Amino acid sequence: MDKLIIEGKSTLKGQVKISGSKNSALPILAATLLTEETCILANVPRLRDTDTMCKLLISLGKDVERVKDKVVIRQNKKLNYIADYDLVSTMRGSFCVLGPLLAKLNKVKVSMPGGCVIGIRPVDLHLKGIKALGAKVAIENGYVIAKCKRLKGTSLYLGGVFGSSVLATANIMMAATLAEGETIIESAACEPEIKDLAGFLKSMGAKIKGAGSPQIIIKGVSSLKGSKYKIIPDRIEAGTFMLMAAATKSSIAINGACLEHLMALVDKLNEAGVSIVKEGRSLRVKPARHIKAVSITTHPYPGFPTDLQAQFLSFMSLAKGISIITDKVYPDRFIHIAELNRMGANIRREGINAISEGGRVLFGAPVMASDLRASAALVIAGLAAEGKTEIHRIYHLERGYEDLDRKLALLGAKVCRAKE
Ligand code: EPU
């Protein structure tokens, strides 16, 4: 296992290239199960999570070839309908093979993903969706088993207690592409990753309208064909680099990111005194002289993303004054507070709020990465802190940030990877 060693207080400079979106790539890779024809995906980030999804596709009967950011998916044998515990339990995103396998094979057995450190993470909306499409669903020995003749289009409301669900929307949209007749999903997730998935499905011949809005209409077709498709840039990686620059008071250029996908973050950065300016094809981060304390509340897109909450909290620990960080998507996603406090932050948790009394000097410390975005928050704190930070268990970072240590080193940060 590796650890990341960061010598803090360095200023970042230069430019960084953003990789393809992890949370687009995972459902899009799963969507290739909807066709026997070859699919070629470009801009797929090289991450532990995309590797896991490729392994899952192989276990289901696909041949997967990866060259740099390209993934070619072919099929030479019959698909298997069972997604095993071993792969699904390591990554929740694997659950999005449910919709495509059911639509394609009329039966599926997928391990229940279980909870994780960011919360309980139920799958009731996914199951509600496939039941509405006519599947008979049972849960046996930790597996979801679903069967149908052919899925039938319907109107369904997919909102839950915490708002819309990204992967439930993805699962039901994928399932509905091959269903008989029309499906209308109300309260669908509006995330750019859903629009991207719809873009890929349409390139395969699916008939989808409204993706990116709360109502998606899908007209089922009898089969889908192979396709070539390029995945959108990772907005969360781009946002994390913006916060790294903001926290170290650095001016860097972020290449290949999509500003429209980041407006909620940009708005809050502006409030804190940081400017984000378009410069040709790059986004330039111009740091604040004095970071102002601001509060955020996470919401489904286009609201402030929960996947940037931990990183923003880390940034706010450097701002003079009080900021309240509220997570309405994952109310328990605060495991990073304790580690940030070990570095000198002053954050307390009250229910779904983290209250940061910022402005103190952070100092380097040995800290433990607990999940992907919490780890990114520790990297931000480590870059801004005085002295040396050692982040243990960085395999969490490898799940979602391609070549993070190399990209940071290119920006002039003093980071290195070492064996535990
Ligand atoms: N929820 C339910 N029932 C369900 C599904 C979700 O109550 O059946 C709840 C969740 O517990 C949560 C809320 O609805 O409170 C939203 O969860 P959502 O289903 O949207 O999350 P997800 O689709 O499982 C994706 C991303 C997450 C990201 C969330 C929210 C992927 C592979 N994962 O998860 O990404 O946090 O949407 O935007 O797309 C990450 O990249 O670090 C990450 C965790």
Side-chain angles (χ1 to χ4, degrees):
M1 222 185 279
D2 283 356
K3 62 181 172 186
L4 197 67
I5 304 172
I6 304 176
E7 201 60 59
K9 279 275 171 229
S10 53
T11 307
L12 307 180
K13 52 186 174 305
Q15 42 185 300
V16 62
K17 163 95 178 62
I18 298 308
S19 300
S21 161
K22 165 179 87 79
N23 289 347
S24 267
L26 295 175
I28 286 178
L29 282 163
T32 65
L33 292 164
L34 289 163
T35 181
E36 321 47 57
E37 294 183 19
T38 300
C39 295
I40 303 174
L41 302 176
N43 210 25
V44 180
R46 281 221 78 118
L47 300 168
R48 195 178 282 263
D49 276 9
T50 51
D51 283 345
T52 304
M53 183 55 92
C54 290
K55 280 189 201 144
L56 181 58
L57 291 181
I58 293 167
S59 79
L60 293 171
K62 293 282 190 185
D63 289 333
V64 180
E65 189 191 336
R66 282 193 91 152
V67 186
K68 293 189 181 155
D69 73 327
K70 264 209 181 82
V71 181
V72 182
I73 301 112
R74 298 186 181 87
Q75 189 177 326
N76 297 312
K77 51 179 186 266
K78 245 180 90 185
L79 282 185
N80 168 16
Y81 71 99
I82 303 174
D84 252 329
Y85 173 78
D86 289 347
L87 287 167
V88 180
S89 63
T90 60
M91 183 186 72
R92 214 188 139 77
S94 317
F95 200 65
C96 60
V97 299
L98 176 81
L101 283 178
L102 180 63
K104 192 70 190 148
L105 304 175
N106 293 335
K107 61 178 176 182
V108 61
K109 181 174 172 187
V110 185
S111 172
M112 293 270 282
C116 67
V117 292
I118 70 172
I120 301 172
R121 305 186 79 180
V123 291
D124 56 315
L125 296 172
H126 301 246
L127 304 189
K128 175 183 172 182
I130 57 169
K131 279 182 197 161
L133 290 171
K136 292 243 168 336
V137 181
I139 295 173
E140 282 170 22
N141 308 109
Y143 279 80
V144 173
I145 301 171
K147 288 185 188 145
C148 59
K149 283 217 173 87
R150 183 183 171 194
L151 293 173
K152 271 211 167 71
T154 186
S155 287
L156 75 149
Y157 180 82
L158 211 51
V161 183
F162 300 100
S164 54
S165 160
V166 180
L167 289 181
T169 303
N171 253 330
I172 305 315
M173 183 165 71
M174 289 189 278
T177 57
L178 292 181
E180 193 185 327
E182 185 176 87
T183 299
I184 302 178
I185 307 176
E186 301 285 0
S187 196
C190 303
E191 270 69 4
E193 293 76 17
I194 292 294
K195 207 171 167 187
D196 205 25
L197 171 64
F200 175 58
L201 293 168
K202 286 201 262 187
S203 76
M204 298 169 84
K207 296 211 166 12
I208 302 174
K209 272 194 202 152
S213 81
Q215 187 192 60
I216 305 180
I217 303 173
I218 306 121
K219 280 210 169 86
V221 294
S222 56
S223 67
L224 293 173
K225 54 184 183 354
S227 155
K228 265 189 177 174
Y229 193 79
K230 185 173 174 190
I231 284 162
I232 56 167
D234 196 306
R235 64 192 167 103
I236 305 301
E237 187 198 14
T240 303
F241 274 104
M242 284 178 182
L243 288 162
M244 285 172 179
T248 54
K249 298 205 169 165
S250 307
S251 173
I252 64 167
I254 297 180
N255 294 341
C258 202
L259 182 61
E260 322 62 299
H261 295 169
L262 284 154
M263 291 315 286
L265 171 66
V266 170
D267 186 53
K268 286 294 169 184
L269 282 172
N270 290 344
E271 234 183 89
V274 180
S275 318
I276 307 292
V277 189
K278 259 197 171 175
E279 236 181 43
R281 291 187 167 188
S282 309
L283 300 177
R284 159 106 15 221
V285 184
K286 294 192 172 170
R289 274 185 99 172
H290 304 288
I291 303 167
K292 285 193 206 114
V294 297
S295 296
I296 58 153
T297 300
T298 71
H299 288 288
Y301 189 84
F304 193 99
T306 172
D307 290 346
L308 286 171
Q309 177 262 105
Q311 301 91 312
F312 200 86
L313 178 56
S314 187
F315 171 53
M316 278 299 107
S317 64
L318 301 161
K320 259 211 169 81
I322 292 182
S323 46
I324 302 171
I325 308 292
T326 306
D327 202 323
K328 287 203 171 164
V329 179
Y330 288 114
D332 285 321
R333 195 178 204 176
F334 285 118
I335 202 140
H336 38 283
I337 293 180
E339 296 302 280
L340 288 174
N341 283 347
R342 295 185 65 244
M343 297 179 71
N346 181 16
I347 307 166
R348 66 175 198 279
R349 182 176 167 186
E350 284 184 13
I352 65 168
N353 307 305
I355 299 164
S356 165
E357 209 173 302
R360 302 172 184 218
V361 177
L362 297 186
F363 41 80
V367 285
M368 192 72 84
S370 55
D371 80 81
L372 170 57
R373 308 303 172 188
S375 312
L378 297 177
V379 175
I380 292 174
L383 290 168
E386 270 172 15
K388 187 166 89 176
T389 296
E390 285 194 10
I391 305 180
H392 299 275
R393 296 202 191 158
I394 57 159
Y395 61 87
H396 289 293
L397 278 170
E398 291 159 0
R399 292 189 52 188
Y401 291 94
E402 188 175 50
D403 284 340
L404 182 66
D405 46 331
R406 192 186 58 82
K407 288 186 184 184
L408 278 172
L410 283 173
L411 288 170
K414 296 189 196 95
V415 284
C416 71
R417 191 184 260 273
K419 291 264 166 259
E420 291 278 13

